[in-house]
Amino acid sequence: MHSPDDAPDSLPRRSFLRIAGLTGAGWIVSTAGLTLAESVAGKLFMPVNDRLDALLLNPQKVVPEFPVGAIEPAALIENTFRFIPRIDRAAFRLTIDGAVNQPLSLDLASIQQMPLTSMVIRHVCVEGWAAIVQWGGIRLRDLIQLAQPKADVRYVYIQSADGYYESWDLASALHPQTLLAYQINGAPLPAKNGAPLRLASPIKLGYKQSKWVTGITLVSELPQQKGYWEDLGYEWFAGL
Ligand SMILES: Nc1nc2c(c(=O)[nH]1)N[C@H]1C(S)=C(S)[C@@H](COP(=O)(O)O)O[C@H]1N2
Ligand SMILES: [Mo]
């Protein structure tokens, strides 16, 4: 009897998972015929994506964070342009597709087994209010790396369950403080704030931080429609 760990590819797979801090069999889920672990291991043998590596390895400026005591739970104003979508958590899948070598479709359990990052940052809405918030979730860069972007990828397009859409430059999406959050102020993210998954980052204005994210598409060119508020005249980059 051979366990899957006796397979010839188990050595690079296991060592890579250890390097990435992603040990644990529970994290291995099926994605388009490959297990997630196989897709991670596959990265070892893929041609190097020089531009992506440069973005990942170049230390990006980290925004100073606040102590937990500075959190302002009452200051975060819900800002929902249409409605709060109903999302069935059991059926929920986050897709990562577009110009990638390994498209992904991940359930919430798989996402929550990826390394958790927590940060206390200031959320700034263009409408003139701000709030210090603690977000917990996974780094968007970890997901993007797993999907193995092709060399011509320059933007990330984000689709939400309420019809909201956004696009980010790749460098900002790969910033170490750009999270797909599922916790707020130490508690599970409520529906009104974007459950099960929303973007959170100290480097962009609030409207860039899509709630109810369902799809992430890596693209080389931006479509005509760049973002819900951008298409109404707001700035696209919206950096802080
Ligand atoms: N899908 C979606 N994401 C969204 C919005 C929205 O209406 N729909 N509003 C944006 C705006 S303008 C802000 S300031 C923040 C507000 O997040 P909050 O409702 O959790 O405070 O979400 C952003 N993300
Ligand atoms: Mo906003």
Side-chain angles (χ1 to χ4, degrees):
M1 230 348 239
H2 285 262
S3 76
D5 275 345
D6 293 326
D9 65 341
S10 66
L11 238 172
R13 174 201 296 176
R14 299 180 86 192
S15 50
F16 185 82
L17 286 176
R18 206 175 310 119
I19 292 163
L22 301 174
T23 43
W27 198 60
I28 299 168
V29 296
S30 282
T31 57
L34 286 175
T35 66
L36 198 50
E38 279 164 344
S39 75
V40 173
K43 266 180 61 74
L44 294 176
F45 310 108
M46 296 306 297
V48 179
N49 184 339
D50 289 337
R51 210 165 38 79
L52 182 79
D53 286 352
L55 283 172
L56 286 169
L57 296 174
N58 258 330
Q60 297 191 61
K61 208 172 140 227
V62 172
V63 178
E65 296 178 12
F66 295 86
V68 171
I71 296 170
E72 304 168 313
L76 186 71
I77 299 171
E78 184 197 345
N79 207 340
T80 297
F81 85 102
R82 264 157 87 196
F83 60 92
I84 299 174
R86 286 175 162 274
I87 296 178
D88 174 358
R89 297 181 69 91
F92 178 86
R93 296 291 182 276
L94 173 70
T95 59
I96 301 107
D97 58 15
V100 296
N101 291 313
Q102 181 56 69
L104 300 169
S105 173
L106 302 173
D107 61 17
L108 287 172
S110 308
I111 287 165
Q112 296 190 0
Q113 282 169 40
M114 292 177 67
L116 172 68
T117 297
S118 176
M119 63 183 184
V120 180
I121 60 152
R122 179 176 275 118
H123 176 100
V124 181
C125 177
V126 74
E127 290 176 302
W129 56 269
I132 297 176
V133 184
Q134 182 178 36
W135 302 105
I138 60 168
R139 290 193 164 109
L140 184 56
R141 61 156 52 193
D142 289 351
L143 276 185
I144 292 175
Q145 267 186 290
L146 273 181
Q148 302 168 23
K150 295 189 196 285
D152 61 348
V153 166
R154 289 162 63 210
Y155 304 102
V156 178
Y157 198 82
I158 300 120
Q159 194 62 54
S160 294
D162 62 338
Y164 201 81
Y165 54 97
E166 262 301 338
S167 56
W168 287 46
D169 60 289
L170 185 60
S172 296
L174 295 174
H175 189 281
Q177 290 163 298
T178 298
L179 306 185
L180 266 178
Y182 53 85
Q183 296 174 350
I184 183 170
N185 299 336
L189 190 67
K192 67 181 169 107
N193 299 113
L197 289 175
R198 65 146 327 135
L199 284 174
S201 177
I203 64 170
K204 297 275 187 199
L205 279 169
Y207 62 81
K208 299 299 283 188
Q209 301 179 30
S210 302
K211 305 193 280 188
W212 311 295
V213 172
T214 56
I216 292 168
T217 305
L218 302 188
V219 294
S220 57
E221 301 292 339
L222 283 184
Q224 193 78 30
Q225 300 207 306
K226 295 180 172 44
Y228 180 80
W229 289 110
E230 291 87 332
D231 294 342
L232 296 170
Y234 285 83
E235 198 209 339
W236 175 74
F237 193 78
L240 284 181

